[in-house]
Amino acid sequence: MDDEYDAIILGTGLKECVLSGLLSVSGKKVLHMDRNNYYGGDCASMYLEQLFEHFNKKDCDLSSYGKSRAWNVDLIPKFLMADGLLVKLLIYTGVTRYLEFKQVDGSYVYKGGKTHKVPGTETEALSSSLLGLFEKRRFRNLLVFVFKYDEKDPSTHDGLDLTTMPMSALYEKYKLDTNVRDFVGHAIALYRNDEYINEPAVGTVNRMKLYFNSIAKYLKSPYLYPLYGLGELPQGFARLSAIYGGTYMLSKPFEGITKGEDGKVTGVTSEGETAKCKIVVADPSYFPDKCKKVGQVVRAICLLREPLPNTNNSQSSQIIIPQNQVGRKSDIYVLCVSFAHNIAPQNWYVALVSTTVETANPEAELEPGLRLLGPVVEKFVTVSDIMAPNDDGKDDNVFISSSFDATTHFETTCEDIIGIYEKITGEPFNFASLDAKLEEFKNLGE
């Protein structure tokens, strides 16, 4: 371990593994350590026995669940947007060679006590039970504008400046009521609350375009999920880092960092040895004194024998419950995957219900989502602190990621990854430059 590195990464959660891969591709010499003896950190995947032990349910009879190793249950399951940033990172870096994905069957939204399919095309909008007759035409008009809108082409703007126009004004222009605004903002643009209403409309329009572009890839829904669960993702980026010279060490206790006279990190100590480095990247658990609690997430992982009701017998699906539908400040998310993704034995389903904690009784806040699941065979509930770094890391070159939020997609995760990468490199993230590095490496191997 007594060696010198450009960067030392602490923890093998998805964010840390992606950053390890990106830094290795960019030419950095990387050492990646984890105090655990497994990959994934808080977002690890577990066999059935591991899952029950993790939640202190060690004496349960598991004979009716099938083989333990036929299960790969994610502690924090999330979907990938088919045209989203994480998929682009996977494609650009070639990590897709280690993974296989399957489309998620359906995207739904909760409105007025019922589950409705989110319309993904103009045709679906006109036939959707989610909208009344006049609402359908108004929503269609908004879709026509969004589909043609190009931020760089003023001829597609219809005389509107979306960089200054708040989203509330764009809704008013198309005469869209509160119900339509709910599913547009929360089930399509994927905002967690209504703060976006007063922000420039360009952000929401671009989010809508991402959603519809993702649907256009595979038609049924905008989401993808890897076969065998999300545990494959960190390992895929770990392999990428190793290909570019990265070194991995599991079961390595963290004993602290050393700093120079200028206050910047100079090394990481483990088992009495210190590896020198210029920067450190870590998940919040390694530096609790450098982080602050900004909220909590409550999650319920549920094992089911049937698909979610009112989702057309989908083997995988997502339901978003907008905050206004249940009198909350934050949305409730319901995600379901199954044997179709090789994460459970035949005819078993795994559902997640999650939300941001708002009361002193977090589990009760999940009830609107739990009611949408049908019969639950087993339930595992956790309440986790959302930790965020106190500063941007530039003073001491220790860059810390944020905890995973309540969302069931990876867009906010990728924003954190790219943000940390840009702080480290001091320049905007550029897919073209990353692509050039990858091509350079491929050429060396030929």
Side-chain angles (χ1 to χ4, degrees), residues 104-224:
V104 173
D105 288 342
S107 175
Y108 297 84
V109 65
Y110 180 85
K111 175 195 168 188
K114 295 181 179 180
T115 300
H116 303 264
K117 187 177 186 303
V118 178
T121 64
E122 293 179 44
T123 303
E124 284 189 355
L126 292 175
S127 61
S128 174
S129 61
L130 190 61
L131 305 168
L133 179 61
F134 295 110
E135 290 173 331
K136 288 177 180 177
R137 298 193 178 280
R138 291 167 185 161
F139 177 59
R140 179 186 175 280
N141 291 337
L142 174 63
L143 286 188
V144 170
F145 172 71
V146 169
F147 288 154
K148 74 173 183 178
Y149 181 82
D150 181 344
E151 193 171 350
K152 297 178 181 178
D153 183 0
S155 67
T156 67
H157 297 181
D158 288 357
L160 305 177
D161 182 2
L162 299 192
T163 61
T164 58
M165 181 185 200
M167 190 60 204
S168 57
L170 188 63
Y171 282 142
E172 289 165 7
K173 172 178 170 57
Y174 288 97
K175 299 183 173 62
L176 299 176
D177 65 15
T178 301
N179 285 325
V180 179
R181 297 181 187 196
D182 262 358
F183 87 79
V184 168
H186 297 266
I188 295 178
L190 301 177
Y191 285 107
R192 289 172 281 175
N193 53 50
D194 277 346
E195 292 177 4
Y196 79 96
I197 287 283
N198 299 315
E199 296 173 356
V202 64
T204 302
V205 169
N206 284 333
R207 281 173 172 245
M208 293 176 70
K209 291 180 75 68
L210 168 62
Y211 186 93
F212 294 121
N213 287 342
S214 295
I215 285 183
K217 297 278 186 184
Y218 302 103
L219 298 181
K220 283 194 296 185
S221 88
Y223 302 113
L224 302 173

